[in-house]
Amino acid sequence: MSSEVSTKESTPANGTNEALIKKTLDEDDQFEDFPIDTWPDSETVKAAGLADNLWEENWDDVDVDDDFTANLKQELENHKQQQ
Amino acid sequence: MEQVNIDHYFDTKTWDSQFIKFLTFPLGKRNRDDNLIFVLNKIKDNRILELYNVTMELKNIYLPGYDKSKNLKRRGRKKVTNTNNPPAQEKIIESIENQIRLMIRLMERDDTMTWLIYPLYSLARQLYGFINIECNHETAYMERCIRNIHKCLTMCLNDRNPNERENKRCCVLYFINLEFKIYKQLGNRDMIKNLIKVYESRGDIQTTTKNKKYPVGKAQLVTFHYYMGLYYGCYENDHLRGITNLKLALAQCSIKFSNQIKHILKLLIPLQLLVNGEIINPDYVTRFNINGMMPRYYHTLILLITQGKISEYNEAINNNIPLQAFILKDETFVIWQLLIHRVQINYVKNKWRQLSEKSVMPMTELSDVNECQLSNLISLNLLKGYLSHSHQCLVLSKKDPFP
């Protein structure tokens, strides 16, 4: 089952997927060196308060409406129909 | 032309940007002339003279020769069989290695030479940068680079100077972080493990960063905690220790470096979800100005987890090639695989809510999970209750069934 899906997704006909894979692999995966050695305490994430309320219990109020989620849903639907 | 006296630095035991310019050269530039003349007037130490001579030979002979041959190649005037020009590269690498060797000897012999640590780090970075850019990070050269950086690290770790202010151990993070970076680039997890073992057996973060005379900047601290978080969280399955390190890295990171924050969050988000069941606030994208593919992939995965969509989640991480490539590349694939338990829990929880939170749930209502998976959740203490195989139902604890 899974190999069928993989083959389907790897075919050149699926141009969008190919482009997405390329975009994904092109993205930098290295933790870049900082261009400066240090910075004032006031400039840190902690001091700026950006780490406050960063974590939640759930995402009940979030809508799923981005393109990727929609495409994934469509693919899953197609896959179910093939089965 | 401005004259720079090299003796002055050794007399005053300080360095500045001009001293770094003396030791190093800008990478990838055709014109390296910055109108500085470096002179050594007094010769009171043969090693300083040797360091001066090696550096000037690199600047005046090897680099111009290398640049000239590269320019000729660019213009197509010379038939070149080997595009990388190895003899010239070799001379430059040898020179930087000699600079590093001489600096280490100067520092090992004299306890008051700790001020040379940062210039030595600049040289180590120069060696790595040259091999990475000009030699296409060729493995043999990279191994030589690691050997040289490791010599710097060993010198720092082995310093037994009782004077804490001059002890070179305060600067080990410079070289540890450089080694982390190269091993990660080479995909060599065993060497990362060895490096951490060496560090943890000889020192700790308190003794190696609290020197007021030679303070280690926040950039090194954040980088160190990021790599430690990666190691413990993704390689060693010590997820809690991974989270501790990544939270330290995030807290100390400057808000101006959103790309580094993104890399920290890439690891922290799935780990935090796995260990504490906590989800990142969706406003993190705007809060930290995160761009790239991460938000779209992570958004999808988190929603599938919270909504308990088991088959869709499995499909996404196992069969959606772009998404799979993304989490494999960032080394979080195993964590997302482990998060299947969280998806299953949320699936059961959603069904439980649909059944008006009754403690007895027929297995026919739980079609996306089997008895084995439920037993597993109970044994992991993610679910409180028991399975009644004869009655084909799951009996949940009335008190706190989802701890």
Side-chain angles (χ1 to χ4, degrees):
Chain A
M1 184 184 79
S2 61
S3 61
E4 276 175 25
V5 176
S6 303
T7 315
K8 183 171 75 81
E9 288 183 346
S10 313
T11 51
N14 197 341
T16 318
N17 216 24
E18 293 281 315
L20 203 55
I21 295 169
K22 191 178 180 309
K23 205 174 168 188
T24 301
L25 294 175
D26 282 349
E27 202 170 287
D28 181 33
D29 59 346
Q30 283 279 339
F31 188 82
E32 284 174 24
D33 285 343
F34 289 96
I36 51 175
D37 289 320
T38 199
W39 42 85
D41 285 342
S42 58
E43 216 179 83
T44 61
V45 167
K46 190 183 175 185
L50 294 185
D52 299 342
N53 307 317
L54 189 58
W55 306 99
E56 297 187 341
E57 286 294 309
N58 56 54
W59 268 15
D60 287 344
D61 52 348
V62 177
D63 290 329
V64 196
D65 57 359
D66 64 87
D67 292 347
F68 179 75
T69 313
N71 288 340
L72 183 68
K73 271 186 178 172
Q74 187 58 48
E75 267 181 36
L76 292 168
E77 206 51 48
N78 294 342
H79 184 55
K80 271 182 192 165
Q81 282 171 11
Q82 278 179 3
Q83 282 181 319
Chain B
M1 295 291 263
E2 190 184 342
Q3 186 171 298
V4 180
N5 289 318
I6 299 305
D7 337 41
H8 166 75
Y9 297 106
F10 287 91
D11 288 341
T12 57
K13 298 191 188 302
T14 52
W15 60 270
D16 61 11
S17 59
Q18 289 192 335
F19 185 66
I20 302 295
K21 278 183 184 170
F22 161 67
L23 289 170
T24 60
F25 56 88
L27 290 167
K29 283 187 186 175
R30 272 196 234 178
N31 184 9
R32 303 183 204 271
D33 185 14
D34 50 15
N35 293 322
L36 296 175
I37 301 172
F38 302 103
V39 292
L40 185 71
N41 293 319
K42 294 177 283 179
I43 306 166
K44 57 178 183 178
D45 187 316
N46 282 338
R47 293 208 197 286
I48 296 173
L49 175 65
E50 208 180 333
L51 176 67
Y52 177 81
N53 288 339
V54 167
T55 307
M56 296 315 287
E57 192 177 38
L58 171 65
K59 281 186 183 302
N60 296 334
I61 301 170
Y62 300 136
L63 274 173
Y66 181 67
D67 289 345
K68 200 176 167 187
S69 66
K70 274 183 80 175
N71 287 341
L72 282 173
K73 261 187 273 172
R74 243 181 239 122
R75 290 176 200 153
R77 286 185 190 170
K78 193 178 173 184
K79 192 183 172 188
V80 182
T81 47
N82 189 327
T83 51
N84 279 342
N85 196 359
Q89 278 176 356
E90 181 63 34
K91 284 286 179 196
I92 291 170
I93 291 169
E94 268 178 21
S95 297
I96 305 172
E97 284 178 330
N98 277 333
Q99 286 178 301
I100 291 174
R101 179 180 54 83
L102 289 162
M103 294 266 280
I104 289 176
R105 283 195 185 167
L106 275 166
M107 293 169 81
E108 278 178 337
R109 206 188 43 181
D110 185 346
D111 282 344
T112 65
M113 288 284 187
T114 307
W115 66 276
L116 278 172
I117 280 281
Y118 192 87
L120 178 65
Y121 166 63
S122 303
L123 274 176
R125 258 198 337 189
Q126 172 94 92
L127 183 61
Y128 166 70
F130 184 79
I131 289 171
N132 201 33
I133 295 169
E134 304 285 333
C135 313
N136 299 323
H137 47 264
E138 204 176 292
T139 312
Y141 281 136
M142 213 46 119
E143 283 171 1
R144 268 172 75 175
C145 177
I146 292 166
R147 273 200 295 278
N148 280 283
I149 295 168
H150 202 72
K151 279 179 197 166
C152 303
L153 175 63
T154 311
M155 175 199 64
C156 292
L157 282 173
N158 288 344
D159 192 355
R160 297 186 191 284
N161 187 352
N163 179 358
E164 289 290 319
R165 280 166 62 83
E166 292 295 336
N167 193 306
K168 290 181 262 305
R169 282 171 65 193
C170 64
C171 303
V172 289
L173 291 199
Y174 289 123
F175 305 106
I176 285 182
N177 287 342
L178 210 44
E179 283 197 41
F180 269 145
K181 188 185 171 80
I182 300 173
Y183 295 142
K184 169 88 169 40
Q185 191 180 340
L186 297 175
N188 194 331
R189 292 184 178 194
D190 290 338
M191 291 307 288
I192 293 182
K193 191 172 188 164
N194 288 342
L195 180 63
I196 290 176
K197 266 188 187 171
V198 169
Y199 173 72
E200 289 183 339
S201 67
R202 308 264 192 99
D204 60 73
I205 196 76
Q206 291 298 319
T207 57
T208 51
T209 56
K210 299 290 177 196
N211 188 317
K212 283 183 185 166
K213 192 171 178 186
Y214 305 104
V216 173
K218 290 189 184 74
Q220 296 298 333
L221 273 175
V222 171
T223 307
F224 175 76
H225 284 302
Y226 165 78
Y227 283 117
M228 290 293 270
L230 173 73
Y231 171 73
Y232 281 113
C234 301
Y235 301 168
E236 287 293 292
N237 280 329
D238 189 344
H239 303 126
L240 203 55
R241 209 162 168 186
I243 289 176
T244 307
N245 275 287
L246 291 166
K247 280 190 171 176
L248 284 168
L250 182 65
Q252 288 303 309
C253 193
S254 163
I255 49 174
K256 290 180 181 169
F257 298 113
S258 53
N259 198 39
Q260 282 82 351
I261 291 176
K262 181 173 81 174
H263 277 89
I264 296 167
L265 288 175
K266 267 183 186 175
L267 307 180
L268 189 54
I269 290 172
L271 281 170
Q272 183 78 339
L273 196 47
L274 179 69
V275 176
N276 300 319
E278 289 182 343
I279 309 163
I280 188 92
N281 189 324
D283 79 356
Y284 81 97
V285 179
T286 47
R287 203 187 280 210
F288 297 113
N289 193 22
I290 305 289
N291 52 29
M293 307 294 283
M294 177 199 169
R296 78 190 290 183
Y297 289 135
Y298 274 32
H299 195 115
T300 304
L301 289 170
I302 293 169
L303 281 166
L304 292 174
I305 292 170
T306 53
Q307 292 167 0
K309 295 191 172 174
I310 298 173
S311 54
E312 284 94 334
Y313 185 79
N314 279 328
E315 187 71 22
I317 59 168
N318 294 318
N319 291 330
N320 188 291
I321 294 175
L323 189 147
Q324 197 181 43
F326 185 80
I327 56 179
L328 275 169
K329 196 162 75 92
D330 286 314
E331 312 200 59
T332 56
F333 180 77
V334 175
I335 307 170
W336 291 110
Q337 282 281 3
L338 292 172
L339 274 162
I340 187 65
H341 295 312
R342 190 70 55 189
V343 192
Q344 290 164 349
I345 281 293
N346 287 333
Y347 169 76
V348 178
K349 200 191 259 183
N350 290 344
K351 289 284 177 185
W352 175 67
R353 282 180 183 152
Q354 282 170 20
L355 293 170
S356 312
E357 303 190 359
K358 284 180 185 164
S359 56
V360 180
M361 297 176 74
M363 283 303 289
T364 48
E365 293 290 336
L366 300 167
S367 53
D368 282 6
V369 279
N370 57 36
E371 288 186 27
C372 285
Q373 288 166 332
L374 288 170
S375 309
N376 204 15
L377 295 177
I378 293 167
S379 74
L380 289 167
N381 203 30
L382 293 168
L383 201 61
K384 256 166 118 179
Y386 65 90
L387 275 169
S388 173
H389 182 70
S390 53
H391 292 96
Q392 279 295 293
C393 64
L394 169 69
V395 183
L396 289 173
S397 164
K398 284 185 180 163
K399 191 187 166 195
D400 198 15
F402 303 97

